[in-house]
Amino acid sequence: MDTTTTAQHTPATSDVDASIAATRRVQHLTAVARDAIDDPRTLDGDALAKAVVRALHDAHPHIRFEDALELAVIVETPPADSSTVEAIEYIVADICSHLDEWNRFEPPAIPGQA
């Protein structure tokens, strides 16, 4: 009888784990942004994008001031026909993709470790 477990850590498993973590991050940060913006329904797409960037910068330790300035310029505005919740989630997902690309979600390196 073969008793080998199938829950070994493989590259496919880590990709799935990373995808789940990214989805949860977007959901969490979407809620943070929604709570931080007083009345997002009154903002147009560009103003909403900038408000989300500011809210996340204020709430998230991985978003540096320089990152927030750049994000305020490069973040995509949501489609015009999206609901406010969808628009915020769209903006947060774009912000997270940039931060992930810039390795802002990686833990900082500890001196002496390679």
Side-chain angles (χ1 to χ4, degrees):
M1 176 180 258
D2 186 13
T3 59
T4 307
T5 62
T6 58
Q8 297 173 0
H9 186 68
T10 63
T13 302
S14 66
D15 289 345
V16 170
D17 291 344
S19 178
I20 291 169
T23 300
R24 288 181 179 162
R25 181 181 301 126
V26 169
Q27 290 171 341
H28 170 72
L29 293 177
T30 297
V32 168
R34 274 195 340 250
D35 289 346
I37 300 170
D38 288 331
D39 192 4
R41 293 181 306 260
T42 63
L43 303 174
D44 68 6
D46 190 49
L48 181 61
K50 288 176 177 30
V52 170
V53 169
R54 180 181 177 132
L56 295 186
H57 172 259
D58 291 346
H60 201 287
H62 288 103
I63 302 175
R64 301 173 185 166
F65 180 72
E66 297 82 15
D67 295 339
L69 292 176
E70 187 166 349
L71 287 167
V73 174
I74 65 173
V75 72
E76 294 182 22
T77 56
D81 63 342
S82 56
S83 71
T84 304
V85 173
E86 292 170 337
I88 293 172
E89 186 172 359
Y90 181 91
I91 295 164
V92 169
D94 189 36
I95 289 169
C96 287
S97 71
H98 289 293
L99 292 173
D100 195 34
E101 185 178 303
W102 300 337
N103 294 319
R104 295 301 189 254
F105 293 123
E106 296 295 319
I110 299 172
Q113 289 186 345

